[in-house]
Amino acid sequence: MAKVNVICRCEEIEIDEIRKWIAAGYTEFDELKRILRVGMGPCQGRGCRDIIIRELARATGKPIAEVRAGVIRPPVKPVKAMLLADED
């Protein structure tokens, strides 16, 4: 059985898939997010964002600090709908 390295557990995206798209010229987190949906699952990228940013830095030769982390939209953590509902 082949070893599988799932990076984005929410969307079940493996490192080889991420590397394929980076090699094709997608060198920003938001680009990968639009194509692969990484960072869009229930964890909102808390599980995969840092790993993908490190991979982008390695592939582009940029320091990690220069790799754009992408847009984070609220809510960053899941919120129960009943907490947002009006009591009236």
Side-chain angles (χ1 to χ4, degrees):
M1 179 178 251
K3 187 174 181 179
V4 177
N5 290 316
V6 175
I7 300 303
C8 179
R9 286 179 254 142
C10 298
E11 299 297 326
E12 298 180 4
I13 305 296
E14 298 176 21
I15 190 67
D16 292 339
E17 182 76 6
I18 292 167
R19 287 178 178 157
K20 179 182 91 172
W21 287 99
I22 293 171
Y26 295 87
T27 57
E28 292 195 17
F29 186 84
D30 279 342
E31 293 174 326
L32 295 172
K33 184 177 179 178
R34 283 190 283 280
I35 292 169
L36 300 173
R37 293 188 43 83
V38 293
M40 294 179 74
C43 83
Q44 295 290 296
R46 287 188 304 275
C48 65
R49 182 182 309 275
D50 290 343
I51 297 168
I52 295 170
I53 289 172
R54 283 195 303 265
E55 192 63 29
L56 286 166
R58 186 191 64 76
T60 61
K62 293 181 183 177
I64 290 175
E66 289 182 17
V67 177
R68 292 181 42 179
V71 177
I72 300 172
R73 293 182 177 86
V76 175
K77 291 187 177 185
V79 176
K80 291 182 180 183
M82 69 180 220
L83 296 174
L84 300 174
D86 189 12
E87 290 184 23
D88 294 333

